[in-house]
Amino acid sequence: MASLWGVERAAEHLGVSPRHVRSLIASERLPAQRLGSVWLLDPEAVRVRAREGAQAGRPFSPVLAWQALHVMDAMCVADDPRSPAAEAWDAIADRRVRHRLRQALADPRPSARWRHALGGRAKRLPVWAHPGVLARMASDERLRLGGSAAAAAHAVDAADPQARRWYIDVDDLDAVLGEYRLKRDDSSELDLMVIPHVVPVELRPAMGQPVPLAVALVDLLESPDARERHAAAQQLEPLHLSGAP
Protein backbone atom coordinates (compact mmCIF):
# COMPACT_ATOMS: atom_id res chain seq x y z
CA MET A 1 0.00 0.00 0.00
CA ALA A 2 2.93 2.33 0.63
CA SER A 3 3.58 2.63 -3.10
CA LEU A 4 0.05 3.89 -3.82
CA TRP A 5 -0.89 7.56 -3.86
CA GLY A 6 -3.69 9.29 -2.04
CA VAL A 7 -6.05 11.78 -3.67
CA GLU A 8 -4.05 14.79 -2.49
CA ARG A 9 -0.78 13.60 -4.03
CA ALA A 10 -2.51 12.61 -7.28
CA ALA A 11 -4.12 16.05 -7.46
CA GLU A 12 -0.73 17.72 -6.97
CA HIS A 13 0.80 15.65 -9.78
CA LEU A 14 -2.08 16.41 -12.16
CA GLY A 15 -2.22 20.08 -11.24
CA VAL A 16 -5.90 19.88 -10.30
CA SER A 17 -7.96 19.98 -7.12
CA PRO A 18 -8.59 16.89 -4.96
CA ARG A 19 -12.28 17.36 -5.77
CA HIS A 20 -11.47 17.01 -9.49
CA VAL A 21 -9.52 13.80 -8.83
CA ARG A 22 -12.52 12.37 -6.97
CA SER A 23 -14.69 13.33 -9.94
CA LEU A 24 -12.33 11.47 -12.29
CA ILE A 25 -12.53 8.41 -10.04
CA ALA A 26 -16.33 8.57 -9.82
CA SER A 27 -16.66 8.82 -13.62
CA GLU A 28 -14.19 5.92 -14.04
CA ARG A 29 -11.73 8.08 -15.98
CA LEU A 30 -9.05 7.40 -13.38
CA PRO A 31 -8.71 3.88 -11.88
CA ALA A 32 -8.51 3.71 -8.10
CA GLN A 33 -9.21 1.33 -5.27
CA ARG A 34 -10.99 2.13 -2.04
CA LEU A 35 -9.70 1.23 1.41
CA GLY A 36 -12.45 2.12 3.83
CA SER A 37 -13.25 5.76 3.11
CA VAL A 38 -9.88 6.44 1.44
CA TRP A 39 -9.18 6.26 -2.30
CA LEU A 40 -5.76 4.93 -3.34
CA LEU A 41 -4.30 5.33 -6.82
CA ASP A 42 -1.54 3.63 -8.78
CA PRO A 43 1.08 6.33 -9.51
CA GLU A 44 1.54 5.04 -13.07
CA ALA A 45 -2.19 5.42 -13.76
CA VAL A 46 -1.93 9.03 -12.56
CA ARG A 47 1.09 9.61 -14.81
CA VAL A 48 -0.81 8.16 -17.77
CA ARG A 49 -3.70 10.51 -17.06
CA ALA A 50 -1.28 13.42 -16.90
CA ARG A 51 0.17 12.48 -20.30
CA GLU A 52 -3.30 12.34 -21.81
CA GLY A 53 -3.77 15.94 -20.77
CA ALA A 54 -6.39 18.13 -22.29
CA GLN A 55 -5.69 16.95 -25.85
CA ALA A 56 -7.30 13.52 -25.50
CA GLY A 57 -10.40 14.69 -27.36
CA ARG A 58 -13.91 13.35 -27.08
CA PRO A 59 -14.35 9.57 -26.75
CA PHE A 60 -15.81 7.71 -29.73
CA SER A 61 -19.52 6.92 -29.65
CA PRO A 62 -20.29 3.28 -28.71
CA VAL A 63 -20.90 2.34 -32.37
CA LEU A 64 -17.76 4.08 -33.61
CA ALA A 65 -15.74 2.51 -30.78
CA TRP A 66 -16.79 -1.00 -31.83
CA GLN A 67 -16.18 -0.23 -35.50
CA ALA A 68 -12.67 0.92 -34.58
CA LEU A 69 -12.10 -2.22 -32.50
CA HIS A 70 -13.26 -4.38 -35.41
CA VAL A 71 -10.64 -2.81 -37.68
CA MET A 72 -7.96 -2.86 -34.98
CA ASP A 73 -8.56 -6.54 -34.31
CA ALA A 74 -8.09 -7.35 -38.00
CA MET A 75 -4.76 -5.52 -37.79
CA CYS A 76 -3.77 -7.21 -34.51
CA VAL A 77 -4.10 -10.78 -35.77
CA ALA A 78 -2.56 -10.29 -39.23
CA ASP A 79 1.03 -10.72 -40.33
CA ASP A 80 0.37 -7.89 -42.77
CA PRO A 81 -2.12 -5.57 -41.02
CA ARG A 82 -3.15 -3.73 -44.15
CA SER A 83 -4.56 -6.62 -46.21
CA PRO A 84 -7.13 -8.26 -43.87
CA ALA A 85 -8.03 -4.86 -42.41
CA ALA A 86 -9.36 -3.88 -45.84
CA GLU A 87 -12.27 -6.30 -45.40
CA ALA A 88 -13.10 -4.71 -42.05
CA TRP A 89 -13.02 -1.26 -43.66
CA ASP A 90 -15.28 -2.40 -46.50
CA ALA A 91 -17.91 -3.49 -43.97
CA ILE A 92 -18.29 0.14 -42.83
CA ALA A 93 -20.82 1.69 -45.21
CA ASP A 94 -20.71 5.25 -43.88
CA ARG A 95 -17.86 7.14 -45.57
CA ARG A 96 -17.76 9.73 -42.80
CA VAL A 97 -17.16 6.99 -40.24
CA ARG A 98 -14.40 5.46 -42.39
CA HIS A 99 -12.79 8.88 -42.69
CA ARG A 100 -12.79 9.44 -38.94
CA LEU A 101 -11.38 5.99 -38.25
CA ARG A 102 -8.67 6.50 -40.88
CA GLN A 103 -7.72 9.76 -39.20
CA ALA A 104 -7.55 8.04 -35.81
CA LEU A 105 -5.42 5.14 -37.07
CA ALA A 106 -3.18 7.42 -39.12
CA ASP A 107 -2.38 9.34 -35.92
CA PRO A 108 0.26 7.39 -33.96
CA ARG A 109 -1.56 8.12 -30.73
CA PRO A 110 -0.19 6.78 -27.45
CA SER A 111 -1.95 3.76 -26.03
CA ALA A 112 -3.42 5.99 -23.32
CA ARG A 113 -5.29 7.87 -26.04
CA TRP A 114 -6.82 4.62 -27.27
CA ARG A 115 -8.03 3.88 -23.76
CA HIS A 116 -9.76 7.26 -23.71
CA ALA A 117 -11.11 7.16 -27.27
CA LEU A 118 -12.61 3.68 -26.85
CA GLY A 119 -13.93 4.21 -23.34
CA GLY A 120 -17.50 4.47 -24.63
CA ARG A 121 -17.57 0.91 -25.97
CA ALA A 122 -19.45 -0.25 -22.85
CA LYS A 123 -20.53 0.95 -19.43
CA ARG A 124 -18.55 -0.56 -16.57
CA LEU A 125 -20.63 -1.98 -13.73
CA PRO A 126 -18.56 -3.26 -10.77
CA VAL A 127 -20.35 -6.11 -9.00
CA TRP A 128 -20.02 -8.40 -6.02
CA ALA A 129 -20.46 -12.11 -6.77
CA HIS A 130 -20.45 -15.07 -4.42
CA PRO A 131 -17.34 -17.17 -5.22
CA GLY A 132 -19.57 -20.19 -5.73
CA VAL A 133 -21.23 -18.72 -8.85
CA LEU A 134 -18.05 -17.78 -10.72
CA ALA A 135 -17.73 -21.16 -12.45
CA ARG A 136 -21.32 -20.94 -13.66
CA MET A 137 -20.75 -17.41 -14.90
CA ALA A 138 -17.68 -18.57 -16.83
CA SER A 139 -19.84 -20.99 -18.85
CA ASP A 140 -22.75 -18.59 -19.42
CA GLU A 141 -22.86 -17.62 -23.12
CA ARG A 142 -24.45 -14.29 -22.27
CA LEU A 143 -21.18 -13.33 -20.56
CA ARG A 144 -18.23 -12.90 -22.93
CA LEU A 145 -14.95 -13.16 -21.08
CA GLY A 146 -12.99 -9.90 -21.20
CA GLY A 147 -10.09 -8.22 -19.42
CA SER A 148 -6.92 -10.00 -18.42
CA ALA A 149 -8.47 -13.47 -18.72
CA ALA A 150 -9.42 -12.82 -22.35
CA ALA A 151 -5.95 -11.43 -22.99
CA ALA A 152 -4.43 -14.57 -21.47
CA ALA A 153 -6.63 -16.66 -23.78
CA HIS A 154 -5.01 -14.76 -26.67
CA ALA A 155 -1.54 -15.57 -25.23
CA VAL A 156 -0.72 -12.02 -24.14
CA ASP A 157 2.29 -12.06 -21.81
CA ALA A 158 1.76 -10.85 -18.22
CA ALA A 159 -2.02 -11.21 -18.42
CA ASP A 160 -3.71 -12.77 -15.38
CA PRO A 161 -5.99 -15.68 -16.44
CA GLN A 162 -8.38 -15.13 -13.54
CA ALA A 163 -11.82 -14.03 -14.76
CA ARG A 164 -12.71 -10.58 -13.45
CA ARG A 165 -14.47 -8.90 -16.39
CA TRP A 166 -17.30 -9.95 -18.69
CA TYR A 167 -19.06 -8.18 -21.56
CA ILE A 168 -22.84 -8.40 -21.61
CA ASP A 169 -25.65 -7.02 -23.77
CA VAL A 170 -27.81 -4.53 -21.90
CA ASP A 171 -30.89 -6.65 -22.67
CA ASP A 172 -29.42 -9.54 -20.65
CA LEU A 173 -28.25 -7.45 -17.70
CA ASP A 174 -31.27 -7.66 -15.38
CA ALA A 175 -31.64 -11.41 -15.88
CA VAL A 176 -27.96 -12.07 -15.15
CA LEU A 177 -27.94 -9.81 -12.09
CA GLY A 178 -30.93 -11.65 -10.68
CA GLU A 179 -29.83 -15.17 -11.60
CA TYR A 180 -26.41 -14.86 -9.97
CA ARG A 181 -27.53 -12.45 -7.22
CA LEU A 182 -24.94 -9.91 -8.27
CA LYS A 183 -24.85 -6.62 -6.39
CA ARG A 184 -23.24 -3.35 -7.39
CA ASP A 185 -20.06 -2.83 -5.40
CA ASP A 186 -17.73 -0.01 -6.40
CA SER A 187 -14.86 -1.59 -4.45
CA SER A 188 -15.16 -4.96 -6.24
CA GLU A 189 -12.52 -6.24 -8.66
CA LEU A 190 -15.24 -7.95 -10.73
CA ASP A 191 -17.10 -5.98 -13.34
CA LEU A 192 -19.62 -6.28 -16.14
CA MET A 193 -19.08 -4.26 -19.31
CA VAL A 194 -22.59 -3.43 -20.50
CA ILE A 195 -22.91 -3.00 -24.28
CA PRO A 196 -25.71 -0.53 -25.15
CA HIS A 197 -28.62 -1.10 -27.52
CA VAL A 198 -27.18 1.16 -30.21
CA VAL A 199 -24.31 -1.23 -31.01
CA PRO A 200 -25.34 -3.50 -33.93
CA VAL A 201 -25.28 -7.22 -33.22
CA GLU A 202 -22.64 -7.80 -35.90
CA LEU A 203 -20.20 -5.51 -34.07
CA ARG A 204 -20.65 -7.12 -30.65
CA PRO A 205 -18.27 -9.86 -29.47
CA ALA A 206 -19.34 -13.40 -30.34
CA MET A 207 -21.35 -15.24 -27.72
CA GLY A 208 -19.64 -17.91 -25.66
CA GLN A 209 -16.09 -16.81 -26.56
CA PRO A 210 -13.46 -14.47 -25.10
CA VAL A 211 -13.67 -10.99 -26.58
CA PRO A 212 -11.43 -10.31 -29.61
CA LEU A 213 -7.77 -9.54 -29.00
CA ALA A 214 -8.09 -5.79 -29.64
CA VAL A 215 -10.88 -5.51 -27.06
CA ALA A 216 -8.87 -7.48 -24.50
CA LEU A 217 -5.85 -5.23 -25.08
CA VAL A 218 -7.90 -2.07 -24.52
CA ASP A 219 -9.22 -3.69 -21.34
CA LEU A 220 -5.63 -4.18 -20.20
CA LEU A 221 -4.94 -0.49 -20.73
CA GLU A 222 -7.43 0.09 -17.90
CA SER A 223 -5.76 -2.46 -15.61
CA PRO A 224 -4.26 -1.32 -12.29
CA ASP A 225 -1.34 -3.69 -13.04
CA ALA A 226 1.51 -1.82 -14.73
CA ARG A 227 2.79 -5.03 -16.39
CA GLU A 228 -0.55 -5.63 -18.06
CA ARG A 229 -0.76 -2.03 -19.28
CA HIS A 230 2.75 -2.30 -20.70
CA ALA A 231 1.97 -5.61 -22.46
CA ALA A 232 -1.13 -4.06 -24.05
CA ALA A 233 0.72 -0.93 -25.13
CA GLN A 234 3.41 -2.99 -26.84
CA GLN A 235 0.81 -4.66 -29.06
CA LEU A 236 -1.37 -1.62 -29.66
CA GLU A 237 1.30 0.96 -30.47
CA PRO A 238 2.17 -0.61 -33.88
CA LEU A 239 -1.45 -0.25 -35.07
CA HIS A 240 -0.68 2.75 -37.22
CA LEU A 241 -1.69 3.36 -40.83
CA SER A 242 0.64 5.51 -42.85
CA GLY A 243 -2.17 6.20 -45.28
CA ALA A 244 -5.76 5.35 -46.06
CA PRO A 245 -6.44 1.65 -46.65
Side-chain angles (χ1 to χ4, degrees), residues 130-196:
H130 189 282
V133 307
L134 295 180
R136 289 169 52 207
M137 291 175 65
S139 61
D140 191 325
E141 289 197 353
R142 295 169 296 182
L143 298 171
R144 298 88 149 183
L145 188 63
S148 59
H154 289 290
V156 175
D157 290 341
D160 185 346
Q162 183 174 351
R164 295 191 180 92
R165 169 171 286 190
W166 295 270
Y167 280 77
I168 182 172
D169 294 338
V170 66
D171 289 337
D172 294 326
L173 179 61
D174 287 343
V176 167
L177 290 175
E179 182 174 337
Y180 296 110
R181 298 184 180 181
L182 306 178
K183 299 179 181 179
R184 173 156 190 146
D185 182 352
D186 290 336
S187 64
S188 175
E189 294 184 351
L190 303 178
D191 53 62
L192 301 179
M193 298 293 286
V194 185
I195 304 173

Side-chain angles (χ1 to χ4, degrees), residues 35-103:
L35 182 62
S37 61
V38 177
W39 284 107
L40 298 173
L41 303 95
D42 179 352
E44 180 58 25
V46 178
R47 295 186 186 104
V48 166
R49 177 69 194 182
R51 289 196 294 268
E52 289 179 12
Q55 299 181 4
R58 295 179 61 186
F60 289 170
S61 69
V63 174
L64 186 58
W66 284 102
Q67 288 173 322
L69 285 163
H70 187 59
V71 174
M72 291 167 68
D73 193 63
M75 298 169 71
C76 279
V77 301
D79 293 330
D80 177 4
R82 297 290 293 272
S83 178
E87 295 182 6
W89 285 104
D90 291 343
I92 302 172
D94 192 322
R95 293 183 178 181
R96 292 170 298 180
V97 171
R98 290 202 303 268
H99 176 70
R100 188 173 179 192
L101 290 182
R102 283 199 299 266
Q103 285 184 316

